[in-house]
Amino acid sequence: MAGELVLLDFWPSPFGMRSRIALAEKGIPYEYREEDLRNKSDLLLQMNPAHKKIPVLIHNGKPVCESVIQVQYIDEVWHDKAPLIPSDPYQRAVARFWVDFIDKKIYELGSKIWKTKGEEQANAKKEFIECLKLLEGELGDKTYFGGESLGYVDVALVPFYSWFYAYEKCGDFSIEAECPKMIAWVKRCMQKESVAKSLPDQEKVYEFILQLKKVFGI
Amino acid sequence: MGEEVKFHGMWASPFSRRVELALKLKAIPYQYIEEDLSNKTPSLLRYNPVHKKVPVLVHNDKPVAESMVIIEYMDETWENNPFLPRDSYERAMARFYAKFIDDKLLPTLAKLGQTAGKENEETIEEIHEQLKVLEDELKGKQFFGGQRIGYLDIVAMILVWLHLAGSITGQKILSTEKFPLIYEWIERVMKMEVVNECLIPEEKRQDWIQLAQRAPKSASN
């Protein structure tokens, strides 16, 4: 079942982080390969011709693309260790709904916060906070979105924490001030080795964003 | 599994029609509520407060929103006529191509009504590249799901809609020369009664084209 596992990734990618966390939670060894997105490897282009994007999980030579699909795949293949997706069909549907929500909103809004200025940025910040508040509502009093243990929604969302500092600096606002419950949840997640080791340092991500802004003249 | 299933949908929404097809394929009895998107029912707003969109499936008063989430929920709850394959890798592939259709093909199709001239030509080229991905996926298969209709076939019904739109507007994006396998698949599925029941009825197709041209992305809004 283990076989050969390779993850083609890029260190600041929150999508790549999802698969890193899932694999770490289950204690599955794999080879991590860093991609230079300005000079993509032949392997990446071959394994993901439709999108040419990371992350790509290669299991025994066969590619699985798209982070949410990878996390589901990892959970199904290594189902006996640290299950991430609930076993009850309705709970699964709820978890999938929120992961879909995170995918539709968080990355795009976060990108607008660091890429834009003025009114566009102000609107993005407002909507971003609203989305985090909705997620706080879903979390409620639970330790994790997954209940007592890390689950699918936790794995999908927590990587964006590594970008929070960059969003805050670029947008001149404090996420913790607006969404303290969210940050409290993040801190609980970060106490887990699987999460702490999979997320890059926030300051590094901020430096990376500043570089991108220079390159794109933003 | 005898229980109450309600389904909030809208006649012109491909997402809504997907769920309708899935319900019919599993022969699940349900109560249908047609939503007027300019005047949504309080039930819809209560069941899907986050997006306020169709489709929403309500099973024993528990709501499920987002078409692909609904379809997976149905597959896990009603085990007859399974949509997704058993093998984990094949499931990942089915989910990948379904996501490809929703994240890439649909947004590009939506651009069609909004571009003209050279930009329009580029959009059509982009669509052709994306259709090629799906054409290749049909090689050696009767359906995307293999021997019978499955998860990806349900999502790929958008290709039937594209074909129908082409016959009405005269703008043929899907040519039989370029995409013979897709064409064979379309002919094959259109022979199925259950598929036809979920297509826009002929008398409403002109209205549908006009709606789609006005606001292509917001059909389920």
Side-chain angles (χ1 to χ4, degrees):
Chain A
M1 208 164 38
E4 190 197 72
L5 258 184
V6 179
L7 181 68
L8 304 181
D9 202 347
F10 178 50
W11 68 270
S13 163
F15 306 103
M17 287 174 220
R18 288 167 171 178
S19 298
R20 289 176 228 165
I21 297 171
L23 290 165
E25 268 290 289
K26 290 170 185 281
I28 303 161
Y30 67 98
E31 184 195 336
Y32 177 93
R33 280 197 213 169
E34 188 70 31
E35 283 284 334
D36 175 358
L37 299 187
R38 293 157 303 175
N39 186 20
K40 294 173 181 176
S41 70
D42 288 338
L43 183 63
L44 173 58
L45 299 176
Q46 195 199 331
M47 292 280 131
N48 191 0
H51 299 294
K52 305 176 177 48
K53 286 184 174 181
I54 56 92
V56 179
L57 184 73
I58 309 172
H59 188 203
N60 293 329
K62 296 193 293 189
V64 180
C65 306
E66 297 296 325
S67 64
V68 293
I69 295 175
Q70 285 163 12
V71 173
Q72 289 184 92
Y73 177 77
I74 291 166
D75 205 48
E76 282 173 22
V77 174
W78 289 275
H79 53 262
D80 44 355
K81 297 186 199 182
L84 297 169
I85 297 174
S87 46
D88 170 70
Y90 189 71
Q91 293 309 317
R92 279 153 103 96
V94 173
R96 285 182 176 133
F97 172 84
W98 286 105
V99 171
D100 175 78
F101 174 80
I102 291 162
D103 269 2
K104 282 182 159 90
K105 299 280 185 179
I106 302 297
Y107 185 72
E108 202 186 300
L109 289 169
S111 295
K112 281 195 177 154
I113 294 174
W114 70 262
K115 282 182 181 171
T116 67
K117 293 189 288 248
E119 202 182 328
E120 208 184 336
Q121 190 192 53
N123 288 336
K125 273 160 59 180
K126 183 165 167 282
E127 216 189 318
F128 182 77
I129 294 295
E130 278 166 13
C131 289
L132 290 187
K133 289 203 158 119
L134 271 171
L135 286 160
E136 279 184 328
E138 175 54 22
L139 177 66
D141 291 322
K142 299 197 295 279
T143 311
Y144 304 103
F145 286 92
E148 286 307 299
S149 56
L150 218 61
Y152 188 37
V153 180
D154 302 275
V155 172
L157 182 60
V158 80
F160 291 98
Y161 172 64
S162 61
W163 287 57
F164 278 9
Y165 181 67
Y167 297 153
E168 286 173 326
K169 293 289 275 188
C170 295
D172 189 27
F173 70 127
S174 160
I175 295 172
E176 184 160 14
E178 306 269 3
C179 304
K181 272 188 158 182
M182 175 101 329
I183 299 301
W185 161 79
V186 164
K187 290 188 172 153
R188 291 194 290 275
C189 291
M190 289 296 280
Q191 288 184 348
K192 306 209 101 208
E193 204 181 329
S194 59
V195 177
K197 289 208 159 154
S198 302
L199 266 56
D201 181 63
Q202 289 194 84
E203 300 239 11
K204 269 201 168 152
V205 173
Y206 179 49
E207 273 166 38
F208 168 69
I209 295 295
L210 289 178
Q211 288 231 12
L212 279 183
K213 280 164 81 94
K214 249 192 236 162
V215 166
F216 291 116
I218 303 167
Chain B
M1 274 270 147
E3 316 136 351
E4 194 193 50
V5 176
K6 290 193 282 190
F7 161 46
H8 291 251
M10 192 264 179
W11 67 275
S13 158
F15 306 102
S16 179
R17 292 288 186 168
R18 271 178 198 174
V19 172
E20 190 189 352
L21 177 58
L23 283 163
K24 292 191 150 110
L25 282 168
K26 289 207 184 253
I28 298 166
Y30 62 94
Q31 183 202 344
Y32 179 67
I33 297 114
E34 176 70 37
E35 287 285 339
D36 171 359
L37 299 182
S38 60
N39 187 19
K40 294 170 183 176
T41 65
S43 296
L44 177 65
L45 300 177
R46 186 165 43 99
Y47 287 135
N48 190 2
V50 174
H51 298 300
K52 305 176 176 50
K53 287 184 178 184
V54 292
V56 175
L57 187 82
V58 188
H59 182 204
N60 292 334
D61 216 38
K62 292 190 293 191
V64 184
E66 293 300 314
S67 63
M68 299 323 293
V69 177
I70 295 171
I71 289 171
E72 291 225 27
Y73 173 74
M74 283 171 63
D75 211 30
E76 288 164 12
T77 309
W78 289 273
E79 287 168 7
N80 63 319
N81 249 350
F83 298 147
L84 276 168
R86 282 205 183 291
D87 175 71
S88 299
Y89 189 74
E90 285 177 40
R91 288 158 82 86
M93 287 293 99
R95 286 174 177 144
F96 173 80
Y97 288 108
K99 204 167 193 302
F100 177 81
I101 289 172
D102 274 1
D103 292 354
K104 283 239 156 171
L105 182 62
L106 284 180
T108 319
L109 286 173
K111 270 201 275 181
L112 258 184
Q114 293 155 18
T115 56
K118 184 156 188 295
E119 231 190 286
N120 194 256
E121 274 172 37
E122 285 170 4
T123 306
I124 293 179
E125 241 194 79
E126 224 184 307
I127 294 171
H128 282 170
E129 278 169 25
Q130 292 163 0
L131 289 174
K132 178 95 186 16
V133 171
L134 298 171
E135 174 81 6
D136 288 346
E137 190 47 25
L138 274 172
K139 281 190 183 141
K141 297 199 280 202
Q142 295 270 300
F143 299 97
F144 286 101
Q147 292 294 85
R148 49 183 203 79
I149 205 170
Y151 182 82
L152 185 51
D153 297 273
I154 296 171
V155 183
M157 285 297 153
I158 197 69
L159 297 171
V160 176
W161 290 53
L162 185 57
H163 162 70
L164 289 175
S167 336
I168 298 171
T169 62
Q171 192 185 30
K172 292 244 175 209
I173 310 285
L174 260 179
S175 70
T176 42
E177 302 82 50
K178 276 204 162 99
F179 307 106
L181 297 176
I182 291 181
Y183 250 100
E184 278 173 33
W185 175 84
I186 291 174
E187 281 181 352
R188 201 169 285 128
V189 299
M190 284 187 77
K191 287 200 180 107
M192 299 174 69
E193 196 183 322
V194 69
V195 169
N196 278 293
E197 282 172 16
C198 300
L199 294 176
I200 309 239
E202 279 203 58
E203 66 273 14
K204 280 185 128 171
R205 283 178 196 172
Q206 281 288 0
D207 288 342
W208 159 59
I209 293 288
Q210 280 167 26
L211 247 183
Q213 282 172 341
R214 255 211 314 268
K217 257 168 115 169
S218 63
S220 39
N221 280 10

